Amino acid sequence: MAYEAMEDLSGEESVGVVLGSQDATPLECWVAVRAGSDLMLDDLVAIESADAQNRPVRFYGVVDQVRKRYEGTQFDSDAFRVKEGTLPAEVSYAGHVRVTRVEPEVFFPPTPGDEVRVVRGLAYEKALFFDEMEKKVPIGLTRSGQKVFADLEFLDGKRGAHASVSGISGVATKTSYATFLLYSLFRSGVLGVQTANTKAVVFNVKGEDLLWLDKPSNRLSPEDRQRWDRVGLPVGPFPSVGFYAPAKKGVSVPMPDTGERQDGVSAYVWTLKEFAREGLLRFAVSDAEDTRAQLSFVAERVASYLESAAKMDPDPGPGLTIEGTRVANFDELVEVIDARLPSIMAGQSMSGGTLDAFKRRMRFAAGRMGHLVRADHDGCRDARINWERHQVTVVDLHRLHASAQTFVVGALLKRLMDREHGGPLTFVVLDELNKYAPRSGWSPIQDIILDIAERGRSLGVSLFGAQQTASEVERRVVANAALRIVGRLDAAEAERGEYGFLTRAARDRATILKPGTMIVSQPQIPTPMLVTFPRPGWATRRSEVALASRPDPFAGID
């Protein structure tokens, strides 16, 4: 084992010594805090020890528990006597240290009485292995204001990919943290020359929070700006964002169906030719509550029939010709399939009840998402989501029926995974992951999300999934996430096995976390870290948009 010279820590604050009344092991120990000093949760410390030959050994660790108690008392009521001065006692102030790193790697325990120092600078980076990360992504700040990093290679697919963010809705700020991670990736310079080619697809599932990423926020205080400075990122909105919203129902010209955000938003639909050629029928008619294999078989058979029709269609337009019948919208497609379903399923032992059930699914789909599949206007050909135009593409879903949301997510993820040679690195932000990849039951797009989790990093797709409860998401999806992140958790949820990466203290803390505070576990750091992140520099609703960036309603009027 190599014993190398270590940096001098004499300038760092000495807060105490290793406790002798509690066991010290190579992985954990207790620290007696010196009078006049403070040791707090999340402090990073270095313990200076030596082996039997008096060669220096340094233990680095993080404080995950602190406590105070009286020494020399026996009963709980003695606290009153000590306070009154009738019973002598001393206050014992101690902290528990979970070891994160040993230099050199000789795993014997530190010795009682060894000096303990709170560290900054290089020693802090060594404690968390930041000195071994070639490309560091800022992911927040410690409680004391020190930067926390993640290794890019565990996000971009080189050694790992994906992030899983869990927490109570409205309190855990899951989507805010996922977008902060995106912002850090794009604005920190860590991607280097690949920054321009790297893309992100963000699904806006609830409300309009993500429809203002390109607008600066008017809610930032001087303290918020200082926190952005400390994390090392410029404060502001995303510089390159494209917005897409579903086309309105009952309108011939494809127009985006949004709420307050109207400017800069494009409508999206799928042409009938694309719907057939890409085999998207299964996302339109499948139902998470219906797992009967026969219906799935019918859907796959009809999808293959439509794909063949698209290949043989001599007309290059967005419509679809099926056995001489030209189809221009989803309702017409339903009628054609109804009439031809017996011949499509010819030779298959399929009951009439199953075929009727499939027809009902088609008619339900026509009412819920049929307006998203059409070819009855020249504008349909151009109303296509193109994530290559901007660095970040926001796809709005919040006004769609749940089954229509599933169709859009499934169709886009399939298109991403079907890219030739994988395409450029693309980050996908998807909330409500438990709906799309449930632990129990089935979802029409579950197979695609599993494919992304297990194979996506080799194809340039990294999933940032968010959910209220990781215990309700398919195990393999969560297990493949390199970064596991939790915000405020329900007390019962925090005890589930999916949060086994949290220490006992971290589980308890997760139940009282405030918005803007997360606990992050990553492969290179052997203990989860509590981090805070600054308030978004972009607006999350129209009222937050800085006045200077709002469009002038009277522009162009003399």
Side-chain angles (χ1 to χ4, degrees):
M1 184 64 63
Y3 285 77
E4 300 177 357
M6 299 181 185
E7 68 275 13
D8 181 23
L9 295 184
S10 59
E12 303 287 3
E13 178 189 4
S14 175
V15 293
V17 297
V18 175
L19 202 61
S21 58
Q22 300 282 346
D23 289 345
T25 75
L27 301 179
E28 61 181 351
C29 65
W30 283 86
V31 175
V33 181
R34 185 175 287 108
S37 296
D38 277 317
L39 189 65
M40 294 180 279
L41 285 176
D42 310 314
D43 277 345
L44 272 296
V45 301
I47 301 170
E48 299 186 88
S49 189
D51 64 7
Q53 286 72 45
N54 202 34
R55 291 175 296 194
V57 177
R58 184 169 293 164
F59 296 83
Y60 297 97
V62 60
V63 177
D64 65 355
Q65 189 61 275
V66 287
R67 54 94 172 151
K68 287 183 179 180
R69 66 184 182 190
Y70 279 131
E71 289 182 328
T73 62
Q74 183 176 3
F75 304 106
D76 292 344
S77 58
D78 286 345
F80 297 102
R81 298 180 181 91
V82 174
K83 183 175 179 61
E84 293 164 358
T86 60
L87 181 67
E90 295 290 335
V91 174
S92 169
Y93 182 2
H96 182 263
V97 174
R98 183 172 295 274
V99 174
T100 59
R101 185 172 181 174
V102 183
E103 285 191 334
E105 289 190 335
V106 286
F107 288 97
F108 61 82
T111 303
D114 283 343
E115 198 73 23
V116 180
R117 300 178 185 274
V118 175
V119 293
R120 302 287 189 272
L122 178 59
Y124 163 80
E125 294 195 359
K126 281 190 172 183
L128 298 175
F129 292 90
F130 295 157
D131 62 314
E132 295 187 355
M133 297 180 183
E134 291 186 12
K135 295 183 177 180
K136 298 183 289 187
V137 182
I139 62 171
L141 300 168
T142 65
R143 177 192 46 74
S144 59
Q146 298 268 48
K147 289 183 187 179
V148 180
F149 298 97
D151 192 335
L152 176 65
E153 292 189 349
F154 284 100
L155 288 173
D156 67 1
K158 287 185 177 64
R159 289 199 286 170
H162 318 309
S164 173
V165 190
S166 305
I168 298 173
S169 180
V171 180
T173 54
K174 302 184 297 295
T175 306
S176 296
Y177 190 69
T179 49
F180 168 74
L181 282 181
L182 274 187
Y183 187 85
S184 181
L185 283 162
F186 290 136
R187 301 305 305 276
S188 64
V190 68
L191 292 169
V193 296
Q194 295 301 321
T195 302
N197 293 328
T198 303
K199 308 297 180 183
V201 177
V202 181
F203 291 98
N204 183 57
V205 178
K206 292 177 291 189
E208 297 186 23
D209 294 4
L210 300 176
L211 294 181
W212 310 95
L213 294 182
D214 62 333
K215 304 294 184 183
S217 172
N218 61 14
R219 296 183 62 195
L220 294 179
S221 65
E223 292 77 14
D224 293 326
R225 295 182 182 277
Q226 289 175 5
R227 296 184 71 199
W228 278 104
D229 287 339
R230 285 201 298 270
V231 84
L233 295 172
V235 59
F238 285 79
S240 173
V241 190
F243 297 94
Y244 293 87
K248 288 184 178 181
K249 282 186 178 181
V251 179
S252 60
V253 180
M255 298 178 60
D257 184 11
T258 59
E260 290 188 296
R261 179 71 190 253
Q262 298 290 332
D263 63 297
V265 183
S266 302
Y268 65 78
V269 298
W270 276 260
T271 66
L272 284 160
K273 187 70 65 64
E274 291 171 337
F275 180 81
R277 186 173 56 234
E278 297 176 22
L280 304 182
L281 180 71
R282 61 186 174 123
F283 301 131
V285 300
S286 299
D287 193 318
E289 297 178 357
D290 180 25
T291 59
R292 285 184 290 179
Q294 285 187 323
L295 272 177
S296 297
F297 176 72
V298 176
E300 292 296 336
R301 182 85 177 212
V302 175
S304 297
Y305 172 79
L306 293 177
E307 187 176 353
S308 298
K311 290 179 180 178
M312 294 185 295
D313 189 351
D315 191 331
L320 182 65
T321 301
I322 303 177
E323 297 183 11
T325 302
R326 194 65 179 168
V327 179
N329 57 54
F330 199 84
D331 288 328
E332 292 178 4
L333 179 66
V334 171
E335 296 300 329
V336 170
I337 292 176
D338 271 4
R340 289 170 171 75
L341 190 58
S343 63
I344 295 172
M345 301 304 299
Q348 305 296 325
S349 56
M350 199 66 60
S351 69
T354 300
L355 298 182
D356 288 341
F358 178 78
K359 291 178 181 179
R360 287 196 298 272
R361 293 291 188 278
M362 287 292 292
R363 297 195 179 278
F364 287 149
R368 295 167 178 172
M369 48 71 59
H371 62 293
L372 299 179
V373 180
R374 46 184 291 200
D376 52 4
H377 189 276
D378 291 341
C380 295
R381 191 196 301 266
D382 299 322
R384 176 187 175 95
I385 297 172
N386 185 349
W387 57 73
E388 296 181 354
R389 291 180 181 173
H390 300 87
Q391 193 169 62
V392 178
T393 299
V394 178
V395 181
D396 184 36
L397 309 173
H398 81 282
R399 298 170 76 90
L400 292 175
H401 186 276
S403 59
Q405 291 182 355
T406 298
F407 168 76
V408 175
V409 173
L412 280 180
L413 293 184
K414 182 179 185 299
R415 190 176 285 174
L416 266 173
M417 293 296 285
D418 287 346
R419 294 177 301 177
E420 292 185 10
H421 311 298
L425 175 62
T426 304
F427 296 98
V428 176
V429 179
L430 178 59
D431 198 0
E432 297 187 4
L433 198 59
N434 53 293
K435 180 174 75 173
Y436 301 111
R439 171 72 54 87
S440 58
W442 177 82
S443 162
I445 62 174
Q446 188 167 14
D447 290 343
I448 291 182
I449 293 178
L450 272 173
D451 195 27
I452 291 175
E454 296 176 341
R455 199 170 59 95
R457 73 185 186 98
S458 63
L459 298 175
V461 180
S462 184
L463 175 66
F464 289 1
Q467 59 278 324
Q468 293 187 42
T469 51
S471 61
E472 295 181 2
V473 178
E474 224 293 334
R475 283 186 176 89
R476 288 171 290 175
V477 175
V478 177
N480 278 283
L483 262 66
R484 301 187 191 186
I485 304 156
V486 298
R488 172 83 70 85
L489 289 178
D490 175 78
E493 174 70 8
E495 296 301 321
R496 301 292 295 265
E498 288 70 24
Y499 304 95
F501 59 90
L502 296 177
T503 62
R504 178 70 265 169
R507 289 188 190 228
D508 293 339
R509 293 182 77 183
T511 63
I512 60 172
L513 292 179
K514 294 182 178 180
T517 304
M518 316 296 283
I519 298 175
V520 181
S521 174
Q522 54 179 311
Q524 285 178 288
I525 302 177
T527 188
M529 289 292 300
L530 184 138
V531 303
T532 64
F533 64 101
R535 184 190 296 273
W538 51 90
T540 58
R541 55 180 61 91
R542 184 175 179 81
S543 61
E544 294 179 9
V545 176
L547 289 176
S549 67
R550 293 185 184 179
D552 182 0
F554 302 106
I557 300 177
D558 295 330

